[in-house]
Amino acid sequence: MTLSELAIILLSTVLVNNFVLAQFLGLCPFMGVSNKLESAIGMGGATMFVMTLASICSYLVDTWILAPLGLQYLRTIAFILVIAAVVQFVKMFMEKTSPLLYRMLGIFLPLITVNCAVLGVALLNTQKAHNFFESTLYGFGGSLGFAMVLILFSAMRERLAVADVPAPFKGASIGMITAGLIALAFLGFGGLVSAQ
Amino acid sequence: MALLNITSPHTHGANRTGRIMRLVVYATFPGIAALTHFFGIGVLINVFLASITCLAFEAAVMKLRQRPIMFYLRDCSALVTGILIGVSLPAYCPWWLVISASFIAIVLAKQLYGGMGFNPFNPAMVAYALLLVSFPLQMSAWPTPLPLLSDGQTTPSLVAALEKIFFGTHIDGYSSATVLDIMKQNAGLTLDDLYKKEAVFNGRWAGAGWEWVNIAFLIGGIYLLYKKVFTWHAPISMLAALAIMATLFYDSGSSNSSGSPIFHLLSGATMLGAFFIVTDPVTSAVSNKGRVIYGALIGVLIYVIRSWGTSYPDGVAFAVLLLNFAAPFIDYYTTPRTYGHKKPRRATDSTPRDGH
């Protein structure tokens, strides 16, 4: 495990195999919470926290509980449980520390539970047989990429909100078209690092 | 006699969108002339076809949206998009490639967002990138530049060019790899050996033909700077960032090297990008500080995609699109201070700050 391998995992998850734009995970919050920059920053931060923590916890649960007991077939349901617990923890933490952000995120905070990117990162970690540090970094990098595109996208959507978009394309549809064009731009990073 | 009630502004500038866009059109002429000199009549056909179809699609959408057609055609923004598509697609590429590019640029990337002034991405670059991803073979078939043609051979005649474009008739010795292709595929040769082996490097600085095309676009860009069509911030910081990246990672020509700074500045679409794409007033950052950041990041990304990405030889289109994506965010944090306020006010603030 050298420094360059770590850098490759980070680069790969943030840019080349971005969870939203290349693997199409976590599209619901990407479209749902990107109307305002402030809430996108809040959601990005919360998701980063949850995703990193969830990939650590799910790694620990997988190696120390499921694998010794031979219960790998329970993996998906165990991970969902772990994620739900982590989200509940973040929710309580945020309610105490930042009530304003808590109110602004509203329904989207509990919705991190069903953000497929969070479950995706836990399952991909076991699929790729990552060790502890790789799992942590993979979760962190994936969530960093997610937060980055979410925040940039929300700044762009604030501008789209005042654009003279033809009526049939207003709202979510122009958002989807924009997301497609962004994914096209991210193809430019293709081959920057070998597949991870 | 009643006094006429005239409201401000009382003086009028001569700058209209149409005038600015016409200046941009004039500024592309040296570049188009250089391209035509080195690659033949195909460049002009591309530019002509793309301009006509861009204007046609613009008019069609205006008709659909029941807007005044001539008013929007007269601002010439569709014409500029058409010319940029024409010079960025390879000469003698099939006709359907040009028409799809115009459709993508005008309808998808511009009019779906509400037309001139609202498009978040540069229309010509969206078209180029989308077609490069979809039709890599046709999009990378650049014709052989004039200095590399064998003795007695000239660039294709008008008839041959039209046959190639519309019927796909084969032309002998037609396409060759560009310097950026060769540089990307190079493994094992030092730059000196590579320059000796590949005739395409037979130029003064950066390969036959292409260096002069870039210099021609640079001349057009300097004309626009002189006419104050745009400020120096975005293009100069982009070129500076590209040159700095290329200098930092230049190892004086080993087999892993990706070329000298002058090679990067004068190959591919560098100058076209710097003065005609990065300076797009709609899709770039707004403030001067924002434009410096915007341009510099494009320069860095161009170098990164050219040197370390394995998929595409040139990175101008992708780098521009990525920074188009980031431009609203850059704007958000580089809003200039307005007169009378201590702190810059964000455009999206609903509540006024500092005492106003």
Side-chain angles (χ1 to χ4, degrees):
Chain A
M1 200 68 204
T2 59
L3 202 65
S4 71
E5 281 176 69
L6 293 176
I8 283 177
I9 291 187
L10 260 186
L11 254 183
S12 158
T13 47
V14 175
L15 299 177
V16 186
N17 298 317
N18 190 290
F19 269 42
V20 180
L21 297 173
Q23 312 197 37
F24 307 112
L25 291 169
L27 281 176
C28 342
F30 183 66
M31 296 308 296
V33 202
S34 53
N35 286 319
K36 270 194 79 66
L37 185 65
E38 275 87 8
S39 47
I41 291 175
M43 184 69 175
T47 311
M48 271 177 78
F49 192 72
V50 170
M51 239 160 114
T52 315
L53 214 57
S55 55
I56 293 174
C57 294
S58 51
Y59 175 82
L60 296 179
V61 167
D62 192 54
T63 13
W64 286 350
I65 299 177
L66 297 184
L69 299 176
L71 290 174
Q72 279 100 337
Y73 60 89
L74 286 179
R75 200 174 263 157
T76 310
I77 207 158
F79 285 177
I80 291 174
L81 198 68
V82 167
I83 292 165
V86 173
V87 170
Q88 189 58 36
F89 169 68
V90 171
K91 189 173 165 242
M92 277 151 47
F93 180 78
M94 206 172 261
E95 200 173 358
K96 290 288 176 206
T97 54
S98 171
L100 184 71
L101 191 62
Y102 177 75
R103 268 209 309 279
M104 223 156 68
L105 290 177
I107 185 70
F108 291 111
L109 195 58
L111 275 183
I112 296 181
T113 322
V114 288
N115 182 343
C116 44
V118 183
L119 182 62
V121 83
L123 289 174
L124 282 171
N125 270 331
T126 53
Q127 197 184 17
K128 290 172 190 283
H130 281 156
N131 65 27
F132 180 72
F133 285 109
E134 284 169 336
S135 304
T136 313
L137 206 62
Y138 195 73
F140 175 72
S143 60
L144 188 67
F146 174 82
M148 186 187 77
V149 295
L150 179 68
I151 291 168
L152 293 182
F153 187 56
S154 69
M156 179 164 270
R157 279 192 86 180
E158 286 193 356
R159 205 172 274 190
L160 289 186
V162 293
D164 178 26
V165 178
F169 293 98
K170 273 205 161 65
S173 29
I174 197 71
M176 288 301 231
I177 292 169
T178 312
L181 293 182
I182 298 165
L184 171 72
F186 267 69
L187 278 180
F189 289 120
L192 207 57
V193 291
S194 52
Q196 256 292 324
Chain B
M1 191 182 122
L3 284 173
L4 279 177
N5 191 8
I6 301 171
T7 57
S8 62
H10 300 290
T11 54
H12 294 270
N15 281 345
R16 302 277 179 280
T17 310
R19 178 177 167 268
I20 298 288
M21 291 295 170
R22 270 190 292 279
L23 281 177
V24 175
V25 171
Y26 302 148
T28 57
F29 288 166
I32 295 176
L35 275 170
T36 312
H37 172 73
F38 286 109
F39 299 106
I41 193 85
V43 179
L44 287 181
I45 299 175
N46 261 3
V47 171
F48 181 72
L49 197 58
S51 309
I52 296 287
T53 45
C54 275
L55 289 171
F57 284 126
E58 177 106 342
V61 175
M62 282 306 130
K63 175 102 179 127
L64 273 177
R65 296 194 71 188
Q66 298 169 351
R67 302 275 166 97
I69 295 175
M70 280 323 285
F71 175 79
Y72 284 99
L73 287 192
R74 222 178 284 135
D75 73 16
C76 289
S77 61
L79 184 64
V80 169
T81 303
I83 291 177
L84 291 178
I85 290 172
V87 295
S88 53
L89 294 186
Y92 310 106
C93 66
W95 59 273
W96 48 264
L97 207 60
V98 183
I99 293 179
S100 344
S102 303
F103 178 81
I104 294 165
I106 294 295
V107 179
L108 183 71
K110 188 177 166 198
Q111 293 297 345
L112 280 194
Y113 289 95
M116 171 79 187
F118 292 118
N119 49 310
F121 298 100
N122 186 299
M125 289 301 102
V126 171
Y128 182 84
L130 193 50
L131 287 178
L132 182 62
V133 170
S134 318
F135 305 103
L137 190 65
Q138 286 87 345
M139 286 295 285
S140 49
W142 268 94
T144 315
L146 185 66
L148 298 187
L149 293 175
S150 48
D151 286 338
Q153 203 183 1
T154 54
T155 54
S157 68
L158 180 61
V159 178
L162 287 174
E163 276 178 352
K164 171 83 186 73
I165 290 168
F166 287 98
F167 305 109
T169 318
H170 183 71
I171 303 177
D172 275 339
Y174 151 71
S175 79
S176 64
T178 65
V179 280
L180 284 171
D181 292 329
I182 293 175
M183 193 64 89
K184 175 132 288 177
Q185 281 147 16
N186 175 37
L189 285 179
T190 62
L191 281 195
D192 279 345
D193 289 344
L194 190 70
Y195 274 42
K196 281 196 199 99
K197 180 170 164 261
E198 300 285 351
V200 75
F201 286 100
N202 260 341
R204 195 178 293 266
W205 304 288
W210 279 110
E211 53 190 19
W212 292 107
V213 171
N214 272 284
I215 289 170
F217 277 119
L218 173 65
I219 292 169
I222 290 171
Y223 167 72
L224 289 180
L225 262 182
Y226 167 71
K227 283 283 184 186
K228 298 195 173 138
V229 169
F230 45 74
T231 61
W232 58 270
H233 299 85
I236 300 301
S237 58
M238 174 203 136
L239 294 176
L242 179 61
I244 289 169
M245 284 295 283
T247 315
L248 283 180
F249 292 97
Y250 183 52
D251 49 3
S252 61
S254 79
S255 55
N256 287 324
S257 174
S258 49
S260 64
I262 192 84
F263 170 80
H264 277 282
L265 287 180
L266 290 180
S267 59
T270 307
M271 290 298 171
L272 175 72
F275 290 102
F276 294 90
I277 311 284
V278 171
T279 54
D280 178 355
V282 181
T283 58
S284 73
V286 177
S287 66
N288 287 342
K289 200 165 71 173
R291 282 184 178 162
V292 169
I293 299 171
Y294 172 84
L297 285 176
I298 290 181
V300 170
L301 279 180
I302 290 175
Y303 187 81
V304 167
I305 295 173
R306 274 184 185 175
S307 311
W308 299 315
T310 49
S311 310
Y312 306 104
D314 203 352
V316 175
F318 290 109
V320 167
L321 289 181
L322 285 165
L323 262 292
N324 285 168
F325 174 41
F329 185 74
I330 295 174
D331 277 344
Y332 199 85
Y333 284 100
T334 54
T335 323
R337 187 181 66 91
T338 37
Y339 185 71
H341 291 250
K342 287 203 184 70
K343 275 189 199 159
R345 219 186 119 187
R346 309 241 182 277
T348 48
D349 266 358
S350 50
T351 49
R353 288 184 190 183
D354 57 358
H356 282 268

